[in-house]
Amino acid sequence: DTGVSQDPRHKITKRGQNVTFRCDPISEHNRLYWYRQTLGQGPEFLTYFQNEAQLEKSRLLSDRFSAERPKGSFSTLEIQRTEQGDSAMYLCASSWISGFSPLHFGNGTRLTVT
Amino acid sequence: DAKTTQPPSMDCAEGRAANLPCNHSTISGNEYVYWYRQIHSQGPQYIIHGLKNNETNEMASLIITEDRKSSTLILPHATLRDTAVYYCIVRFPGWAYGQNFVFGPGTRLSVLP
């Protein structure tokens, strides 16, 4: 399968713990995006990378959230001191560098904070 | 970016064509229309996109009106596996590549046997 891969698929953690998610994009894609989706809502943009550079951040991305893409390939999203409001599906997407190229999404990591 | 309006839900009989409308009356000349769908517990799946002309691929057809103020996604022979939430997104590709890819609530399509 050459699609976007996310790991883990599910994560249950206790409030206050740190969690890290990984995303492996489609290998030829330069751009990588993180979105968050809560129940019954559409995905909401969090941040975007072009190669290893983080070029956009949403105001949804509080200082407890950090994303990296150190070698321009896979990316990690870390949430520190998790809160119950962080419970959501975290989606990763990738695309070609062309501006109108569609985003291709992975199947997400579902985070539950207890 | 232009906002889109979609009906919250639709039903379609299995084997019939599903026609999903999207209104984007404030679209500008260089904004593209994208369609995605999301099946329960999966990530959004890209279906098709277009600028002015009608587009067709193996999944669906996209019909954009001449004034570009609305579009219709057509699934020619709906199956039960097409039951999903369908999102219509209007996007200018020039900058802010993530910020301007905005998902609304979409249309929940139920294909009925």
Side-chain angles (χ1 to χ4, degrees), chain B residues 8-57:
Chain B
S9 64
M10 293 181 63
D11 292 339
C12 176
E14 188 178 18
R16 303 297 293 270
N19 297 288
L20 293 102
C22 180
N23 183 287
H24 31 80
S25 58
T26 60
I27 194 170
S28 65
N30 46 14
E31 288 182 309
Y32 283 71
V33 180
Y34 296 77
W35 282 85
Y36 281 75
R37 72 180 183 185
Q38 189 170 25
I39 296 169
H40 183 61
S41 295
Q42 296 183 19
Q45 178 189 20
Y46 165 73
I47 301 173
I48 200 167
H49 74 283
L51 179 62
K52 296 180 184 177
N53 301 320
N54 299 336
E55 303 287 346
T56 295
N57 63 21

Side-chain angles (χ1 to χ4, degrees), chain A residues 52-103:
Chain A
E52 66 277 6
Q54 189 173 16
L55 297 184
E56 291 177 51
K57 291 185 191 180
S58 162
R59 59 179 179 273
L60 293 175
L61 206 70
S62 79
D63 56 6
R64 296 185 297 105
F65 288 67
S66 62
E68 295 183 344
R69 194 182 182 199
K71 297 182 180 179
S73 57
F74 73 91
S75 176
T76 58
L77 178 68
E78 181 183 16
I79 309 174
Q80 296 182 327
R81 305 181 303 280
T82 53
E83 301 172 356
Q84 287 188 319
D86 298 331
S87 294
M89 174 81 85
Y90 290 85
L91 293 160
C92 176
S94 67
S95 75
W96 292 101
I97 200 164
S98 168
F100 57 81
S101 176
L103 276 59

Side-chain angles (χ1 to χ4, degrees), chain B residues 22-101:
Chain B
C22 180
N23 183 287
H24 31 80
S25 58
T26 60
I27 194 170
S28 65
N30 46 14
E31 288 182 309
Y32 283 71
V33 180
Y34 296 77
W35 282 85
Y36 281 75
R37 72 180 183 185
Q38 189 170 25
I39 296 169
H40 183 61
S41 295
Q42 296 183 19
Q45 178 189 20
Y46 165 73
I47 301 173
I48 200 167
H49 74 283
L51 179 62
K52 296 180 184 177
N53 301 320
N54 299 336
E55 303 287 346
T56 295
N57 63 21
E58 64 278 4
M59 290 182 67
S61 294
L62 172 60
I63 308 297
I64 302 174
T65 57
E66 192 168 345
D67 63 8
R68 303 210 323 123
K69 294 181 184 298
S70 65
S71 61
T72 302
L73 180 75
I74 301 173
L75 308 178
H77 305 286
T79 71
L80 299 178
R81 287 178 293 182
D82 292 322
T83 292
V85 177
Y86 287 77
Y87 297 100
C88 169
I89 299 164
V90 169
R91 179 196 190 205
F92 170 60
W95 61 279
Y97 300 105
Q99 306 264 20
N100 67 14
F101 216 97

Side-chain angles (χ1 to χ4, degrees), chain A residues 13-74:
Chain A
T13 191
K14 292 186 177 179
R15 189 177 53 185
Q17 298 293 305
N18 298 343
V19 294
T20 300
F21 311 139
R22 177 180 170 123
C23 171
D24 287 273
I26 294 171
S27 58
E28 313 87 62
H29 285 178
N30 306 87
R31 294 185 171 153
L32 186 146
Y33 311 75
W34 285 98
Y35 281 75
R36 182 175 70 184
Q37 185 174 26
T38 53
L39 204 59
Q41 304 297 315
E44 297 174 293
F45 170 76
L46 291 177
T47 189
Y48 146 70
F49 291 84
Q50 182 164 306
N51 299 315
E52 66 277 6
Q54 189 173 16
L55 297 184
E56 291 177 51
K57 291 185 191 180
S58 162
R59 59 179 179 273
L60 293 175
L61 206 70
S62 79
D63 56 6
R64 296 185 297 105
F65 288 67
S66 62
E68 295 183 344
R69 194 182 182 199
K71 297 182 180 179
S73 57
F74 73 91

